[in-house]
Amino acid sequence: MKTKKSFYLHLGMHKNASKFLQTYIFEKNKLGIPKCRVFTRESGVKIFVDLIEKVLRNKISIHKAKNLIKEHTKNYQNIIISQESLLGYHFDNFEDVEKRFIILEKLFNKPNYLIVYRDQADFLFSLWTHKIRLGLKDDFKKFINCKDHNYNKGKRSIKYLTDYKIYNYNKIFRPYILLVNKRAIFLNFERIKNKSFFINKIKKFFSRKILKDKFDINHKVNVSRKFELIYL
């Protein structure tokens, strides 16, 4: 008798404690989930990212992609896939976020979704400091206006922007919002340090009554912003 697989997709967003969740909680199975296989940045997640991209660009069928997913997940009952780009890309203006959702629904048989988000202004500033470390020379104002950039050929879609040029989460997250209290959990980045809030959200997402290990919410994985390169 074949056991039905349960897929848990952590979609990011970028710059929202993804590495903390991946390396400290998911990979170490601090949740105590039985028959579990974890795919993250360091453990084979690229296979799934590539499959989704191929389906998105009509280079492979849904049917073939699902068969490949079965091969990669083998006999594991619970599958955790954690990668920020599953939701979409900021530098593509999240243009394909709705198409991605439809593909995820089909490929993983209506999975469970975890989305960590933060205040939009803080999110954009964090992305900017990240790009500064990688060599970007633009100031913050130029960055948020996306003018004279190579991002998406220098164009900035207004589809998901507010008048203040920050992202409208109601539009970006729309398909997932409809699944809240069913298969989608939203975790506010600013409240991760609230231990009871964080643990209750994680327990609810994975339908766990108890957890295997205690969590150190103050555990550091990424370098703090105060150590980042400062734009002059």
Side-chain angles (χ1 to χ4, degrees), residues 3-99:
T3 304
K4 181 181 178 181
K5 295 179 183 292
S6 295
F7 287 93
Y8 300 91
L9 307 185
H10 167 227
L11 310 182
M13 304 173 73
H14 287 89
K15 315 304 292 180
N16 278 271
S18 294
K19 195 168 183 180
F20 168 78
L21 290 169
Q22 291 164 355
T23 62
Y24 183 59
I25 296 178
F26 298 155
E27 291 174 6
K28 293 184 178 181
N29 197 17
K30 285 181 174 286
L31 304 165
I33 299 175
K35 298 181 180 179
C36 181
R37 177 69 192 275
V38 177
F39 295 91
T40 65
R41 187 184 300 274
E42 303 299 331
S43 55
V45 75
K46 189 176 184 299
I47 294 168
F48 302 98
V49 174
D50 289 345
L51 280 176
I52 292 165
E53 293 295 328
K54 288 178 180 178
V55 172
L56 191 63
R57 287 162 178 71
N58 297 315
K59 292 183 178 180
I60 189 175
S61 69
I62 288 284
H63 178 72
K64 185 173 182 179
K66 290 183 73 169
N67 286 335
L68 290 172
I69 288 171
K70 287 181 181 179
E71 290 181 18
H72 293 306
T73 56
K74 299 179 180 179
N75 295 322
Y76 289 96
Q77 180 180 349
N78 297 296
I79 313 297
I80 299 174
I81 301 176
S82 175
Q83 223 285 338
E84 301 92 320
S85 64
L86 295 179
L87 177 69
Y89 297 94
H90 161 75
F91 297 113
D92 287 338
N93 301 311
F94 296 105
E95 280 299 323
D96 57 11
V97 66
E98 294 175 3
K99 292 181 180 178

Side-chain angles (χ1 to χ4, degrees), residues 96-173:
D96 57 11
V97 66
E98 294 175 3
K99 292 181 180 178
R100 284 177 176 274
F101 169 75
I102 294 171
I103 290 171
L104 294 177
E105 285 284 281
K106 293 179 178 179
L107 287 183
F108 301 104
N109 299 318
K110 297 184 176 180
N112 302 285
Y113 300 101
L114 172 63
I115 297 175
V116 185
Y117 68 98
R118 70 198 297 174
D119 173 79
Q120 292 101 316
D122 191 40
F123 168 64
L124 288 171
F125 185 78
S126 183
L127 280 173
W128 175 67
T129 57
H130 174 70
K131 296 300 289 186
I132 288 295
R133 292 200 308 274
L134 297 178
L136 182 72
K137 303 299 182 182
D138 296 337
D139 61 26
F140 184 64
K141 183 177 180 180
K142 189 174 182 180
F143 174 77
I144 62 174
N145 281 282
C146 274
K147 293 180 180 179
D148 302 322
H149 286 184
N150 292 321
Y151 315 141
N152 204 23
K153 298 181 180 179
K155 299 177 181 178
R156 188 74 183 272
S157 170
I158 62 172
K159 183 176 181 180
Y160 294 116
L161 292 178
T162 69
D163 292 337
Y164 299 101
K165 297 181 180 176
I166 60 175
Y167 286 110
N168 186 334
Y169 284 166
N170 286 326
K171 289 186 177 180
I172 293 176
F173 298 147

Side-chain angles (χ1 to χ4, degrees), residues 211-228:
L211 299 177
K212 177 183 176 183
D213 291 321
K214 294 182 179 180
F215 295 152
D216 178 8
I217 303 301
N218 296 315
H219 181 79
K220 297 290 184 181
V221 175
N222 274 341
V223 178
S224 172
R225 179 179 295 161
K226 67 181 179 180
F227 298 113
E228 292 180 349

